[in-house]
């Protein structure tokens, strides 16, 4: 048997060559491990027949699915989502809670950042998820189409980055919504013509299913099958058009670990309050042994306003898997059904206490970068009022008036050309003005006896902010027509909830109590009924950004406005030009 013979110099040169190759390849491998991935999705907007509550109707869907498909990405990934419109309505899709840093053209609200996608047309939403991880969601952002056009966005942490809480055995998106027997476009059109409040939904849903308490819906019940002694991450989303919602699972405690895709200090609760637009991640730890019971998952509205609402409860079932699926099938029929106890529909004390418990992690890895000093202070009243209808319209309010909603007494009028285009190309004339009031036009006892004149003005008014301005907005509910909580959503930013309270905001006393250490960081905040909330944010994202109530009825009535954030001086602080396929009005 012969031995291979290497001279020492040649052997060393081979080793050197291999080491050199490794050094060249290693950075590539390291980079590849953390490289952003581009993820492609195609959304075909199409009609689909769906049966609920004994009735089949044609609804607008993405790819025929209701709720719509899950969008999954990792922090740092790029998303390229082609939306093709095959229905008779104009459509636009909003990626709710995505910061859209320098990608404002992809934000999605119709007539704000884009003209809607017309029938037979398409648009590619192209954006990168920067510095975010957690649960968000997507939905239609035109008229009331989001009644059925919605779905979850799951942003996983970067590879090899753990959650700051126990790794769950399984993750389950749970989207809360509404079901309407009527066509929702007809519902809002009729309300617009009469000037009165629109009809209510007929059911609430969990992942599109109404559940046991509604007619013909036993088979349309969401079932969460779990194993004993495991931890599940429930990704809760409130996609309802008009209802804030209480959520609970009988005989189980939930641990809140994230809100609006920001980790929070974990806290235990039996009930979660979640307003339209918000997301909340909770850990569900199952019992160590399979109990002889099935547990009801229940959700129903939290409502504080004077109007009627859909006061029904949607239910799902939490079922424990036993060792044998056969015994499970037999015993299921005999198992007792345990129901959770939910707060009263108008329990504002529970709402205030729950919202006060949501606090940022505010640690070294996940800091709360709340602006401590403020460049611009704004005080916004939010609430209802009346506006005069045109002479050729017969509105059913007193003296031919309609119900309106306003911020600082301005009811926002949607333009018929997108604001972002008008701003970017310096063509604002006749589209919008930049004189939105920083304070209410007249002072009154906001949460006491309403003033005698409750008429609102209307217009397309915006506020201009220089790049990197630190902003404080106090949002004050009013009792005009009736005090009511308002979930306010700000596009393009997360903000910090530095304070909230009941009654009228006191500019002398209340700011001294602001939490500038670990306030909740969110994209949607509920202005308490008959109270106020104060938020801070940094205007570090150039573009035009919508702010509106996420109760769709109030948005339709004009409870909305928009901010222009100007470009910064650096190249990376400027909004790039629009994509070539930006829809035309």
């Amino acid at each position: 048997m012969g031995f291979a013979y290497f001279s020492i110099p040649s052997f060393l040169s081979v080793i050197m060559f291999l080491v050199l190759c490794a050094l060249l390849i290693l950075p590539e491998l390291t980079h590849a491990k953390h490289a952003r991935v581009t993820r492609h999705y195609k959304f075909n907007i199409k009609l689909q027949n769906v049966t609920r509550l004994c009735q089949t109707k044609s609804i607008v869907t993405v790819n025929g699915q209701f709720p719509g498909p899950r969008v999954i990405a990792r922090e740092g990934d790029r998303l390229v989502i082609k939306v093709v419109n095959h229905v008779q309505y104009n459509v636009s899709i909003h990626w709710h809670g995505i910061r859209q840093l320098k990608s404002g053209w992809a934000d999605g609200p119709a007539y704000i950042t884009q003209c809607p996608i017309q029938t037979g047309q398409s648009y590619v939403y192209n954006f990168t998820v920067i510095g975010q991880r957690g649960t968000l969601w997507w939905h239609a952002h035109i008229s009331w189409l989001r009644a059925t056009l919605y779905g979850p966005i799951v942003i996983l942490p970067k590879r090899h980055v753990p959650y700051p809480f126990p790794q769950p055995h399984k993750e389950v998106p749970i989207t809360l919504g509404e079901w309407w027997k009527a066509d929702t476009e007809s519902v809002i059109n009729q309300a617009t013509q009469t000037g009165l409040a629109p009809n209510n939904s007929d059911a609430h849903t969990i992942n599109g299913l109404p559940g046991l308490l509604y007619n013909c819906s036993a088979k349309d019940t969401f079932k969460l099958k779990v194993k004993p002694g495991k931890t599940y991450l429930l990704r809760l989303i409130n996609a309802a058009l008009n209802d804030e919602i209480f959520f609970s699972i009988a005989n189980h405690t939930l641990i809140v670990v994230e809100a609006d895709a920001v980790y929070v200090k974990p806290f235990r609760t039996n009930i979660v309050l979640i307003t339209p637009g918000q997301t909340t991640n909770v850990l569900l730890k199952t019992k160590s042994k399979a109990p002889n019971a099935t547990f009801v998952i229940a959700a129903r509205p939290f409502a504080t306003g004077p109007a009627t609402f859909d006061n029904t409860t949607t239910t799902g079932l939490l079922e424990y898997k036993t060792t044998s699926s056969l015994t499970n099938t037999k015993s299921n029929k005999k198992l007792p059904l345990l129901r959770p106890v939910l707060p009263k529909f108008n329990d504002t004390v529970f709402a205030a206490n729950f919202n006060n418990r949501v606090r940022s992690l505010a640690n070294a890895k996940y800091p709360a970068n709340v602006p401590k000093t403020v460049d611009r202070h704004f005080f916004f009243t939010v609430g209802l009022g009346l506006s005069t209808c045109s002479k050729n319209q017969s509105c059913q309010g007193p003296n031919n008036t309609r119900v309106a909603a306003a911020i600082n007494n301005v009811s926002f009028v949607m333009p018929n050309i997108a604001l972002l285009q008008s701003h970017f190309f310096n063509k604002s004339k006749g589209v919008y003005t930049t004189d939105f009031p920083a304070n209410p036009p007249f002072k009154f006892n906001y949460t006491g006896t309403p003033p005698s004149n409750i008429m609102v003005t209307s217009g397309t008014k915006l506020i201009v902010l220089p790049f990197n301005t630190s902003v404080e907005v106090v949002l004050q509910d009013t009792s005009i027509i009736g005090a009511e909580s308002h979930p306010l959503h700000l596009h393009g930013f997360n903000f910090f909830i530095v304070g909230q309270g009941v009654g009228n905001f006191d500019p002398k006393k209340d700011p001294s109590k602001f939490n500038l250490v670990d306030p909740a960081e969110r994209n949607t905040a509920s202005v308490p009924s008959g109270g106020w909330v104060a938020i801070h944010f940094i205007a570090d994202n150039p573009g035009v950004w919508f702010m509106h109530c996420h109760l769709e009825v109030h948005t339709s009535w004009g409870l909305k406005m928009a901010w222009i954030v100007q470009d910064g001086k650096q190249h990376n602080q400027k909004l790039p030009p629009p994509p070539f396929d930006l829809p035309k009005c």
Side-chain angles (χ1 to χ4, degrees), residues 369-378 463-474 490 493-496 498 516 535-541 563-566:
N369 296 319
V370 55
K372 305 259 196 313
T373 58
V374 171
D375 301 321
R376 297 281 305 273
H377 294 261
F378 297 93
I463 290 175
V464 178
L465 297 171
F467 185 81
N468 248 4
T469 306
S470 58
V471 179
E472 176 181 289
V473 188
V474 175
L490 175 60
F493 299 93
N494 281 354
F495 51 74
F496 291 91
V498 295
L516 301 176
I535 65 171
H536 283 188
F537 69 95
I538 301 270
D540 59 357
N541 195 3
W563 307 83
I564 293 174
V565 177
Q566 293 174 321

Side-chain angles (χ1 to χ4, degrees), residues 36-176:
R36 73 173 190 180
V37 174
T38 299
R39 297 173 188 260
H40 292 268
Y41 287 85
K42 189 171 183 189
F43 278 21
N44 283 306
I45 312 292
K46 54 190 273 196
L47 294 174
Q48 183 71 32
N49 282 342
V50 174
T51 304
R52 297 285 185 274
L53 313 180
C54 328
Q55 182 184 317
T56 302
K57 66 181 272 203
S58 181
I59 64 168
V60 182
T61 68
V62 167
N63 302 343
Q65 294 171 245
F66 172 70
R70 204 177 302 179
V71 170
I72 300 177
R74 281 194 187 278
E75 180 186 341
D77 284 355
R78 181 171 160 233
L79 283 163
V80 178
I81 305 171
K82 184 174 185 178
V83 177
V84 188
N85 185 6
H86 301 283
V87 299
Q88 71 269 36
Y89 307 108
N90 285 346
V91 168
S92 75
I93 304 287
H94 170 51
W95 317 96
H96 185 113
I98 297 281
R99 285 284 325 263
Q100 297 294 1
L101 288 159
K102 288 170 51 201
S103 56
W105 304 106
D107 190 42
Y111 302 106
I112 306 296
T113 59
Q114 67 166 93
C115 298
I117 308 164
Q118 296 176 24
T119 307
Q121 302 291 310
S122 67
Y123 180 45
V124 176
Y125 292 92
N126 186 338
F127 55 91
T128 301
V129 180
I130 299 168
Q132 292 183 279
R133 80 291 310 161
T135 305
L136 294 170
W137 62 301
W138 58 264
H139 60 81
H141 211 302
I142 183 167
S143 191
W144 278 27
L145 290 182
R146 76 173 179 86
T148 57
L149 269 181
Y150 61 80
I153 301 175
V154 174
I155 307 167
L156 301 168
K158 288 179 177 172
R159 287 196 183 280
H160 313 297
V161 176
Y163 294 127
F165 47 80
Q167 179 68 27
H169 167 67
K170 196 176 176 189
E171 303 183 5
V172 185
I174 294 182
T175 307
L176 308 172

Side-chain angles (χ1 to χ4, degrees), residues 264-540:
V264 300
K265 289 186 172 74
F267 67 91
R268 302 168 81 84
T269 182
N270 297 327
I271 298 147
V272 172
L273 172 62
I274 182 166
T275 77
Q278 289 182 339
T279 61
T280 306
N281 281 5
V282 297
L283 294 178
L284 165 71
K285 202 167 189 318
T286 56
K287 300 180 186 302
S288 53
K289 290 185 181 156
N292 283 326
T294 297
F295 302 91
V296 171
I297 304 167
R300 78 145 187 253
F302 164 60
T304 53
T308 59
F309 62 99
D310 176 1
N311 192 14
T312 60
T313 304
T314 176
T315 52
L317 297 174
L318 178 74
E319 296 176 348
Y320 277 77
K321 293 178 186 172
T322 54
T323 43
S324 158
S325 56
L326 184 68
T327 56
N328 194 26
T329 312
K330 282 183 180 171
S331 60
N332 241 358
K333 290 173 183 160
K334 300 169 196 164
L335 290 182
L337 206 57
L338 301 182
R339 298 170 183 242
V341 177
L342 289 164
K344 286 183 177 168
F345 74 87
N346 59 354
D347 192 338
T348 52
V349 174
F350 176 90
N353 290 340
F354 182 86
N355 288 326
N356 276 322
R357 293 179 77 190
V358 181
R359 297 288 172 94
S360 289
L361 265 185
N363 60 20
K365 192 164 186 192
Y366 301 104
N369 296 319
V370 55
K372 305 259 196 313
T373 58
V374 171
D375 301 321
R376 297 281 305 273
H377 294 261
F378 297 93
F379 183 78
F380 288 176
T381 54
V382 292
L384 306 181
L386 295 177
S387 75
T388 307
C389 292
S390 59
K391 288 187 174 124
N392 58 3
Q393 194 181 356
S394 54
C395 290
Q396 293 173 22
N399 302 321
N400 198 33
T401 55
R402 61 179 325 105
V403 183
I407 302 177
N408 277 354
N409 212 50
V410 179
S411 190
F412 191 85
V413 176
M414 286 297 249
N416 49 23
I417 180 165
L419 295 175
L420 184 56
Q421 274 168 287
S422 310
H423 159 66
F424 190 86
F425 295 110
N426 292 318
K427 292 183 177 173
S428 62
K429 197 172 180 190
V431 182
Y432 65 84
T433 56
T434 56
D435 57 348
F436 190 91
N439 293 284
F442 57 97
K443 290 182 177 175
F444 60 98
N445 181 359
Y446 305 115
T447 53
T449 308
S452 53
N453 180 6
I454 60 169
M455 300 300 286
V456 302
T457 62
S458 58
T460 311
K461 297 172 185 284
L462 281 66
I463 290 175
V464 178
L465 297 171
F467 185 81
N468 248 4
T469 306
S470 58
V471 179
E472 176 181 289
V473 188
V474 175
L475 298 153
Q476 171 74 59
D477 183 38
T478 71
S479 56
I480 296 174
I481 298 184
E484 194 167 358
S485 66
H486 299 277
L488 261 287
H489 171 48
L490 175 60
H491 289 230
F493 299 93
N494 281 354
F495 51 74
F496 291 91
I497 300 176
V498 295
Q500 50 200 336
V502 178
N504 296 340
F505 174 73
D506 185 333
K508 291 194 177 77
K509 293 181 184 168
D510 288 324
S512 64
K513 297 180 233 160
F514 283 177
N515 173 9
L516 301 176
V517 179
D518 63 349
E521 182 183 347
R522 308 205 71 145
N523 63 57
T524 305
S526 203
V527 181
S529 176
W532 57 271
V533 64
I535 65 171
H536 283 188
F537 69 95
I538 301 270
D540 59 357

